[in-house]
């Protein structure tokens, strides 16, 4: 059912509120702001994130094939990021496939059935670029990583981070104001965030092999 502009605007506030707990869980599990973060733990975290992005993007790619106009409105092709995680892992001397195959399993993510669910999933993936700018700056200060490669996965848009986030928010609001279902967007975001938090648990401090 169409919603008024005020209601549509609330979807972003609802997304933030409904996923705040999962965000905290992911943030503390990954502990990327750790002043003692070293190369091996960073590789463990990136391996988990790479496998997650591969799975999350596969669902979005299938949606984009069914809903090309919605995918274009969101600039989906530019938002794909699994390749950046893989490139960063290789730059760190690690095998990106180690986390996506073999005995480590795969993140359990539901199918993306429509644009409501795509927006919920994208909220999680795109929002991570906001914290990503802080992570990027922090990594640059770490003695344990000094002289290492400059990573691209955390802050893929550089100076365009704000513009890309703003565009995501605008399209989400427009979709809900037209005929989207804000509740289903939020449900999909919670499912994505929950799956990410569960998937990242093995990368928590002290549990990486
Ligand atoms: C892959 C893991 C992560 C995901 C999926 C994620 C997701 C998100 C999302 C969805 C938002 C948007 C919240 C909103 O609606 O405004 C956000 C914002 C933010 N995140 Fe994360 N996040 C991740 C990791 C981190 C980490 C490790 C940190 C620690 C530095 C962090 C710090 C922040 C901060 C500071 C913001 C707010 C930025 C701003 O308002 O300018 N995030 N994140």
């Amino acid at each position: 059912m169409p919603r008024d502009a005020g209601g549509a605007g609330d979807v972003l506030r609802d997304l933030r509120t409904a996923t705040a707990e999962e965000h905290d869980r992911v943030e503390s599990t990954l502990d990327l702001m750790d002043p003692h973060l070293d190369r091996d733990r960073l590789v463990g975290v990136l391996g988990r994130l790479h496998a997650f992005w591969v799975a999350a993007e596969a669902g979005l790619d299938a949606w984009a094939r069914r809903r090309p106009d919605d995918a274009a409105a969101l600039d989906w092709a530019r938002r794909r990021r699994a390749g950046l995680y893989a490139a960063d892992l290789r730059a760190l001397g690690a095998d990106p496939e180690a986390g996506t195959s073999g005995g480590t399993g795969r993140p359990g993510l539901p199918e993306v059935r429509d644009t409501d669910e795509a927006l919920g999933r994208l909220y999680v993936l795109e929002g991570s670029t906001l914290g990503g700018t802080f992570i990027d700056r922090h990594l640059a200060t770490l003695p344990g990583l000094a002289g290492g490669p400059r990573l691209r996965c955390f802050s893929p848009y550089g100076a365009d981070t704000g513009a890309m986030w703003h565009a995501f928010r605008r399209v989400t609001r427009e979709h809900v104001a037209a005929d989207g279902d804000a509740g289903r967007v939020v449900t999909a975001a919670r499912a994505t965030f929950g799956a990410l938090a569960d998937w990242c648990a093995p990368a928590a401090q002290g549990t990486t092999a």
Side-chain angles (χ1 to χ4, degrees):
M1 195 196 302
R3 307 251 315 249
D4 64 26
D10 286 336
V11 65
L12 285 148
R13 191 195 57 207
D14 291 351
L15 279 164
R16 187 177 205 165
T17 309
T19 60
E21 206 175 296
E22 281 88 353
H23 186 281
D24 287 353
R25 192 149 68 98
V26 169
E27 201 178 319
S28 60
T29 297
L30 299 181
D31 197 13
L32 284 163
M33 301 303 276
D34 171 13
H36 304 293
L37 181 70
D38 61 13
R39 182 250 173 224
D40 287 353
R41 204 169 70 73
L42 180 60
V43 164
V45 167
L46 288 183
R48 279 331 257 188
L49 293 179
H50 173 244
F52 187 83
W53 252 258
V54 167
E57 290 185 354
L60 286 167
D61 280 338
W63 156 80
R65 283 192 292 275
R66 292 193 309 273
R67 303 299 301 262
D69 293 349
D70 287 351
L74 276 156
D75 210 354
W76 163 236
R78 187 175 174 198
R79 297 183 190 272
R80 298 174 93 261
R81 208 171 358 145
L84 291 185
Y85 284 105
D88 286 347
L89 280 161
R90 278 192 288 270
L92 286 162
D95 174 10
E97 300 315 315
T100 55
S101 58
T104 52
R106 280 178 177 260
L109 278 165
E111 185 194 346
V112 178
R113 290 175 296 184
D114 53 30
T115 299
D116 288 335
E117 294 185 348
L119 289 169
R121 179 165 302 182
L122 272 167
Y123 168 75
V124 180
L125 306 185
E126 292 302 302
S128 70
T129 65
L130 303 180
T133 62
F134 294 87
I135 296 165
D136 231 16
R137 255 178 267 151
H138 173 67
L139 295 184
T141 68
L142 293 182
L145 297 170
R150 175 95 169 77
L151 304 183
R152 291 195 51 212
C153 62
F154 292 115
S155 190
Y157 309 129
D160 287 347
T161 303
M164 291 295 282
W165 180 241
H166 182 76
F168 168 77
R169 288 162 59 95
R170 180 178 50 76
V171 175
T172 301
R173 286 194 168 111
E174 286 171 359
H175 171 78
V176 170
D179 62 354
D181 182 333
R184 294 184 73 250
V185 176
V186 172
T187 300
R190 292 201 64 187
T192 303
F193 239 132
L196 175 64
D198 291 346
W199 175 251
C200 287
Q205 282 265 38
T207 58
T208 39

